[in-house]
Amino acid sequence: MKYWRAPLDINEIPIVRGIVHIIADRCKGCGYCIEFCPREVLAFSKEFNKKGYHPPMVVSDGCLNCHYCEQLCPEFAIYTEEVPPVAGSPSP
Amino acid sequence: MAKAKQRVHPLEDLIRTERIPHIWCPGCGVGTVFSACLSAIKQTGIEYRKFTMVSGIGCSGRGAGYARLDSFHTTHGRAIPFATGIKMANPELNVIVFSGDGDLFAIGGNHFIHAARRNMDLTVICINNFIYGMTGGQVAATTPHNAQSATTPYGNPESPFNLPLLAIASGATYVARWTMIHTRDLTDTFAEAMAHRGFSFIEVLSPCPINYVRRNKVKLMDLVKKFQTHTIIRNDADPRDLDLDFEKGVVLGKFVDIDRPTADMLYEEIRRRRAG
């Protein structure tokens, strides 16, 4: 994340990080998670799933565990989990 | 990816996984609204056996079949009468009616206004996709003016229903409107409506990617983005301003939240008075 100036408490506030889990065979390739991810973490993969759609894949480690992809997915095919925060880690 | 498959989605305990994948088309908003509804059930913290889901016929009518709850898939337009029966037989239950605009307002329109008048303690979720999606995209009571459909190839000459106004005028005690893209507000509103005693009505705008979006020559993502850019969130807005006009801006929010004795309470009171 880019800041116009570094916040004074940047080294004190732990930043929540998330990890994205994709259940590829449920995906129908609508692309909502890719289009509406506020951190642009996802993109279409080249592979096909068993129904012949291109499921999303994780292309950056910027996930902040906001759960928006999980809530938006009509297929119950994606969800995020929090990874334990590391105090003092600067935001990428 | 093989490792991710063994992990469990947070809503896995509320969906009938043996019936997934569901029939809804890629990009259909019904799945998102269904997921928000299940999240709301989880959010209320009430045990699952106190919930019942009833739906009518249509794409969104399939919802009841995918929820791992006691659920009913009823005849066309008759979701509210079934739900009324369930509620009167067992007032302890939280009855959710999950259905579409055609089922609730065209075929079942009369049932809706009378359940609202009686203030039946139901949570009615209406997914408005502007069209009869399952039967091939015919014009519905909620199709916007000038929109194309299978039966109005030159544009719809009629005006659509203003559903929140209809619900308020009929006597609903909780009325809200959101779109499928406002997932967080939608989940909170569903949870609030389930906790509310009385007739709660939530209209959810949702795209039909095949029969509405493609026929009207818009892109699915453009329509969904319009749900973000051409909507105004205004709680307690004047119900007459709630018509569906994306040029003017569609008003979203919670419009009514009042308390009024519910049908089962009033019935119980009469019964007790009669018994002495």
Side-chain angles (χ1 to χ4, degrees), chain B:
Chain B
M1 218 162 264
K3 203 180 159 197
K5 247 187 271 175
Q6 280 144 28
R7 292 175 181 269
V8 176
H9 191 278
L11 294 173
E12 204 87 352
D13 55 340
L14 269 169
I15 49 179
R16 297 190 199 214
T17 40
E18 68 277 12
R19 309 196 67 181
I20 297 287
H22 50 59
I23 59 149
W24 299 318
C25 308
C28 178
V30 177
T32 307
V33 182
F34 184 62
S35 156
C37 179
L38 297 184
S39 308
I41 290 175
K42 204 159 235 202
Q43 196 176 312
T44 53
I46 305 169
E47 53 184 328
Y48 297 159
R49 61 187 190 84
K50 293 270 181 206
F51 283 97
T52 306
M53 195 181 266
V54 185
S55 52
I57 298 294
C59 292
S60 36
R62 304 287 297 215
Y66 298 123
R68 197 176 281 288
L69 301 167
D70 286 340
S71 53
F72 280 93
H73 189 189
T74 69
T75 46
H76 205 356
R78 313 299 176 234
I80 289 179
F82 270 78
T84 301
I86 293 168
K87 186 72 197 179
M88 291 311 274
N90 187 355
E92 295 291 297
L93 288 174
N94 253 306
V95 186
I96 302 164
V97 176
F98 186 90
S99 207
D101 53 311
D103 187 72
L104 284 172
F105 287 96
I107 298 92
N110 232 339
H111 300 301
F112 179 88
I113 58 174
H114 289 286
R117 173 180 63 81
R118 293 180 185 127
N119 199 21
M120 286 305 308
D121 189 7
L122 309 174
T123 304
V124 179
I125 297 169
C126 171
I127 295 165
N128 184 356
N129 58 4
F130 316 121
I131 206 125
Y132 289 126
M134 187 174 259
T135 51
Q138 292 84 357
V139 68
T142 44
T143 308
H145 182 54
N146 282 332
Q148 312 253 323
S149 72
T151 45
T152 57
Y154 308 114
N156 179 19
E158 302 167 2
S159 300
F161 259 137
N162 177 346
L163 298 183
L165 176 63
L166 177 68
I168 294 166
S170 311
T173 51
Y174 186 101
V175 179
R177 177 200 263 161
W178 291 104
T179 77
M180 53 74 76
I181 205 80
H182 298 86
T183 51
R184 264 172 236 278
D185 302 290
L186 196 58
T187 309
D188 293 345
T189 302
F190 284 166
E192 205 176 291
M194 286 167 196
H196 176 81
R197 272 197 77 90
F199 191 88
S200 326
F201 170 68
I202 304 121
E203 179 190 7
V204 191
L205 306 182
S206 157
C208 176
I210 304 299
N211 277 320
Y212 185 79
V213 166
R214 201 160 63 181
R215 214 180 287 275
N216 282 281
K217 298 183 180 62
V218 284
K219 290 220 164 66
L220 176 62
M221 285 302 172
D222 292 347
L223 179 67
V224 175
K225 283 192 178 142
K226 223 173 178 180
F227 286 166
Q228 282 183 320
T229 55
H230 287 62
T231 51
I232 311 151
I233 298 175
R234 201 191 306 147
N235 292 326
D236 303 313
D238 186 340
R240 284 167 300 181
D241 299 338
L242 302 178
D243 47 330
L244 270 182
D245 184 356
F246 279 101
E247 298 312 307
K248 199 176 75 177
V250 173
V251 181
L252 309 175
K254 181 170 84 175
F255 309 124
V256 169
D257 185 0
I258 51 172
D259 273 325
R260 197 153 70 80
T262 61
D264 55 298
M265 280 160 71
L266 293 173
Y267 181 80
E268 187 57 27
E269 196 186 307
I270 298 257
R271 200 187 61 81
R272 210 178 302 132
R273 207 188 309 151
R274 199 58 203 132

